[in-house]
Amino acid sequence: MWDDIIQDNPTYFLGPVIVNIENYNNSDNSYIEIVDGQQRFISSTILSAVLRDTFKEYGDTRKADKIQDRFIAFVDDNGDDKGYRLTAGLSTNQFLKDNIQNENADILNSSPETKEHKRIKDNYKLLKKLLENYLDPETSNEHKVKKIGVVRDRLKKLKVIEIQINNDNEAYEIFERVNNYGVDLSLSDLLKNHILKNSNDVDGASKKWLEIEKNIRNAGSEMKKFIRYHWLSKYSFRTEKQLYNNIKEEIRDYDKFLKELLKASEIYCNIIGAQLSNYNELNVNGRFIGDKIFNIVQSSNYMSVTQDNVFYMSLIRNCEKEKLLINPKKFLIFLEKFIFKYFAICHFPANKVERLFSKYAILLEKECNKNINEDNIKQNTDRLFKTFQSELEELVPTEATREFFIERFQEVKYGTSPGNRKLITYVLSKFENYLHGRNEFTLNYQIINIEHILPQKPENWGLTKIEIKEYVNNLGNLLLIDQRLNGQMGNKSLENKIPILQESNLKMNELILNQIEEKNNVWDQISIEKRNKDIATVSYDKIFNF
């Protein structure tokens, strides 16, 4: 906005804004609700305050008062003060009133309590600094005041395209259309406004919403994704476009719903950033199953799959409420294998499975909370897990999928992305567990590294990077090894790597040493491709077989 105002040929267009005029003709409380464009109006108000305060600093209180009366407040033709022109959202309104809109405000000495408050103060300081730099070339106060007036006059000329809606039911459809033109709009902002507007405890609701936002931000996720996943886990399957209106149709008690969202945000965070300590209280009929749920959640994270989070949200929610009466261990073991085959390796379409995860998450919610005797709940829940498994199995027909799986498995290669390295670590750790006859994670990922047998810099092997480019990053050339040993291996020759590998207590490394010995201390492209296919075959037939 600032750059647009001060350029030689100023641009006065600020883009489209969406306003709800539903209450415009309300005789008791007439107002226009800004559905999208709040930040631009707040920024304009902050700039107006900067101009007002700077006029005062240069001794022109008359112009400062005019800014206050015409830009920030509204004084009618009779001189009656009708209040401030802009009412901000609940979380920022009081801070904006006290430190920006108040004509005697002193925001530079204010103490912001939230990130939103700090953003307002930072924006004021930035605009104040930009204005001071703009005025610097002028040597007299008179010329500086004239130049402030230039900025004021250009601010008055700012224009927007006003898109009017008659009620907020229309809002999301308008959002979608405006988004096609590059405007960044938020489902969560729309829902937040609606929830706070319908809350019986506005201050409490605002604090809860900020806490939810903090939880989701700390998890590294998005509010719109979290809200949709929660809805899919408990209510019905909806696209993001359908979600807002569906929530409005279904929810009557918004304070209860907000409390529900807050709890759900904690569960969601524990799924996104899985730590075993967060699963210590999960039991079924007095038996601890937190480790089983943690295992599938962590495995899914390592495979970079998110569609299944919907089901875990329902599972954990009902487990925490002690409503889950059937141990899901067998189903979760199957589910991990399915996710690996379907998503991580074969990359089959996700949309159909997302609907299934939602379908069974909702069914689980209903079964666990039915007002019937426990034996019937157990029978129904057990049947639910079995039916869900059958539907998923139909998506991966054995013979047709096996050949495709082995082919796609051999395309898994070492890369620089964290997700790629996590998947390789997961695959190799499952392979190691298989060699030990174990089914669950036992390796400490904090002290285990991925190591190339044939190094990416192969000069000590008498090869060039170009020669090995096609196969050096194949999974068949990778192993897991203790960080201490990993540091010793580097780009050493095979002869010098063998004694280091002999110190490892991992069975996969013992297997590699045997393979090298069988080929008379040779590790080449043929060796790598053979090991790659061997791991692919045993993964499908043994490790992830169901």
Side-chain angles (χ1 to χ4, degrees):
M1 182 176 69
W2 176 259
D3 291 338
D4 291 338
I5 288 175
I6 66 164
Q7 61 184 334
D8 292 335
N9 296 302
T11 301
Y12 299 116
F13 179 55
L14 285 185
V17 297
I18 303 172
V19 295
N20 181 2
I21 60 173
E22 184 178 6
N23 294 293
Y24 180 59
N25 293 316
N26 188 327
S27 57
D28 296 327
N29 183 24
S30 178
Y31 65 91
I32 295 174
E33 179 185 5
I34 304 168
V35 178
D36 177 66
Q38 299 100 323
Q39 292 304 317
R40 280 165 282 172
F41 279 92
I42 289 174
S43 296
S44 298
T45 301
I46 294 172
L47 178 55
S48 298
V50 168
L51 297 176
R52 175 198 63 200
D53 297 344
T54 310
F55 270 134
K56 286 182 183 179
E57 290 172 12
Y58 289 106
D60 199 328
T61 56
R62 186 180 67 84
K63 287 187 175 68
D65 290 343
K66 291 293 184 183
I67 290 278
Q68 179 67 22
D69 294 346
R70 296 179 180 177
F71 286 50
I72 299 172
F74 178 65
V75 177
D76 66 15
D77 293 338
N78 297 320
D80 294 330
D81 188 345
K82 299 296 185 180
Y84 299 127
R85 291 177 177 270
L86 182 69
T87 300
L90 292 166
S91 58
T92 57
N93 190 47
Q94 194 60 48
F95 185 83
L96 189 75
K97 286 169 64 175
D98 293 344
N99 297 285
I100 294 293
Q101 294 170 311
N102 187 324
E103 61 185 323
N104 298 313
D106 183 15
I107 191 169
L108 297 178
N109 289 315
S110 66
S111 300
E113 295 180 356
T114 69
K115 288 186 177 181
E116 290 173 303
H117 296 171
K118 185 176 183 298
R119 195 177 299 121
I120 290 173
K121 182 174 181 177
D122 289 345
N123 285 344
Y124 179 94
K125 289 165 66 177
L126 174 62
L127 288 169
K128 189 78 167 66
K129 182 66 176 176
L130 290 169
L131 181 61
E132 288 171 354
N133 293 341
Y134 180 65
L135 300 177
D136 271 349
E138 306 302 330
T139 56
S140 69
N141 282 5
E142 181 182 357
H143 288 153
K144 288 180 188 290
V145 167
K146 284 183 178 180
K147 210 164 184 180
I148 300 169
V150 170
V151 177
R152 174 204 60 200
D153 293 341
R154 290 179 177 179
L155 180 60
K156 285 196 297 184
K157 294 179 181 179
L158 290 178
K159 292 179 174 66
V160 298
I161 294 176
E162 182 182 82
I163 302 172
Q164 294 183 356
I165 59 176
N166 295 307
N167 57 72
D168 57 9
N169 287 333
E170 304 173 14
Y172 195 73
E173 182 179 352
I174 298 293
F175 270 26
E176 285 287 296
R177 294 187 181 185
V178 175
N179 259 326
N180 290 335
Y181 296 95
V183 180
D184 184 19
L185 302 170
S186 171
L187 166 67
S188 64
D189 285 340
L190 185 63
L191 184 59
K192 171 186 173 182
N193 290 339
H194 185 71
I195 288 175
L196 297 184
K197 188 166 65 175
N198 288 279
S199 172
N200 294 317
D201 176 15
V202 174
D203 289 340
S206 180
K207 289 177 182 177
K208 283 187 178 72
W209 188 270
L210 288 173
E211 194 172 345
I212 293 169
E213 287 183 326
K214 180 181 178 182
N215 287 343
I216 302 307
R217 185 169 56 249
N218 289 342
S221 189
E222 300 175 288
M223 282 290 291
K224 64 181 180 181
K225 186 172 186 177
F226 154 68
I227 293 166
R228 180 170 179 262
Y229 273 21
H230 173 65
W231 195 259
L232 266 58
S233 79
K234 188 173 182 180
Y235 295 96
S236 60
F237 185 89
R238 290 291 183 269
T239 64
E240 186 182 320
K241 183 176 181 179
Q242 298 167 328
L243 187 58
Y244 176 65
N245 285 336
N246 192 226
I247 291 174
K248 287 186 63 180
E249 290 167 2
E250 296 293 330
I251 300 301
R252 294 292 174 264
D253 186 339
Y254 282 94
D255 291 312
K256 181 180 178 182
F257 182 60
L258 192 58
K259 185 178 180 181
E260 180 185 301
L261 281 177
L262 178 57
K263 180 58 185 173
S265 72
E266 295 169 0
I267 293 174
Y268 185 74
C269 287
N270 290 340
I271 291 171
I272 299 297
Q275 298 289 332
L276 182 57
S277 58
N278 294 325
Y279 292 75
N280 285 339
E281 304 299 321
L282 299 184
N283 298 283
V284 171
N285 298 324
R287 296 188 64 180
F288 177 61
I289 64 158
D291 54 341
K292 306 300 184 297
I293 298 177
F294 167 75
N295 180 61
I296 179 66
V297 169
Q298 187 190 46
S299 298
S300 180
N301 287 343
Y302 266 74
M303 290 183 269
S304 300
V305 178
T306 61
Q307 289 83 0
D308 51 340
N309 289 347
V310 169
F311 184 74
Y312 306 144
M313 291 178 77
S314 178
L315 187 71
I316 294 170
R317 179 172 60 243
N318 286 289
C319 195
E320 287 185 342
K321 293 190 297 183
E322 298 183 350
K323 296 286 188 178
L324 184 65
L325 304 180
I326 287 290
N327 192 326
K329 177 182 176 180
K330 289 183 180 179
F331 173 73
L332 295 181
I333 290 172
F334 156 78
L335 185 57
E336 180 184 349
K337 295 175 179 179
F338 169 82
I339 290 169
F340 181 76
K341 284 183 175 180
Y342 190 93
F343 288 106
I345 300 301
C346 293
H347 302 292
F348 288 141
N351 55 346
K352 185 174 183 179
V353 184
E354 185 182 50
R355 285 183 176 272
L356 280 178
F357 281 124
S358 176
K359 171 185 173 181
Y360 282 96
I362 294 166
L363 287 174
L364 182 64
E365 176 74 20
K366 290 178 179 177
E367 292 297 343
C368 288
N369 291 276
K370 279 184 177 177
N371 188 23
I372 57 177
N373 68 64
E374 288 191 359
D375 286 342
N376 285 341
I377 292 176
K378 288 179 180 178
Q379 290 174 7
N380 293 345
T381 307
D382 185 53
R383 189 181 304 115
L384 181 149
F385 287 136
K386 289 177 179 177
T387 306
F388 189 13
Q389 178 168 335
S390 295
E391 286 203 52
L392 292 175
E393 285 175 343
E394 290 176 5
L395 298 176
V396 282
T398 306
E399 291 307 316
T401 305
R402 185 179 186 275
E403 183 178 344
F404 184 68
F405 174 92
I406 292 172
E407 178 185 329
R408 291 301 298 266
F409 188 97
Q410 294 178 77
E411 295 174 11
V412 176
K413 296 181 184 293
Y414 181 87
T416 57
S417 72
N420 172 271
R421 294 197 298 272
K422 280 185 176 182
L423 176 60
I424 288 171
T425 302
Y426 172 79
V427 172
L428 291 176
S429 68
K430 296 299 286 187
F431 181 58
E432 179 68 17
N433 289 340
Y434 164 74
L435 295 175
H436 280 274
R438 297 189 294 253
N439 290 320
E440 297 178 3
F441 287 138
T442 55
L443 298 177
N444 184 345
Y445 291 153
Q446 304 303 315
I447 61 171
I448 291 290
N449 281 357
I450 299 171
E451 169 69 14
H452 288 72
I453 306 170
L454 169 63
Q456 292 172 301
K457 296 179 180 179
E459 288 78 8
N460 291 331
W461 290 53
L463 298 167
T464 66
K465 289 183 179 181
I466 294 176
E467 288 176 304
I468 66 169
K469 182 179 178 181
E470 296 302 317
Y471 59 89
V472 68
N473 290 317
N474 285 6
L475 195 140
N477 188 44
L478 305 174
L479 53 80
L480 297 181
I481 197 163
D482 181 280
Q483 284 181 358
R484 176 183 61 84
L485 297 177
N486 178 247
Q488 295 178 31
M489 293 186 74
N491 298 316
K492 287 184 171 66
S493 65
L494 179 61
E495 181 183 4
N496 290 323
K497 280 191 172 187
I498 288 174
I500 303 171
L501 278 175
Q502 288 170 340
E503 293 185 48
S504 171
N505 59 6
L506 296 184
K507 284 193 175 292
M508 76 173 75
N509 297 336
E510 181 182 334
L511 214 59
I512 289 167
L513 288 169
N514 292 339
Q515 187 175 340
I516 291 171
E517 185 178 353
E518 287 172 5
K519 291 198 65 176
N520 298 317
N521 287 355
V522 171
W523 186 259
D524 55 15
Q525 182 175 357
I526 294 172
S527 307
I528 291 169
E529 290 176 350
K530 178 183 182 304
R531 181 171 179 260
N532 203 3
K533 188 168 185 178
D534 288 347
I535 297 176
T537 303
V538 79
S539 291
Y540 191 91
D541 292 341
K542 302 291 184 180
I543 302 173
F544 297 97
N545 182 48
F546 53 77

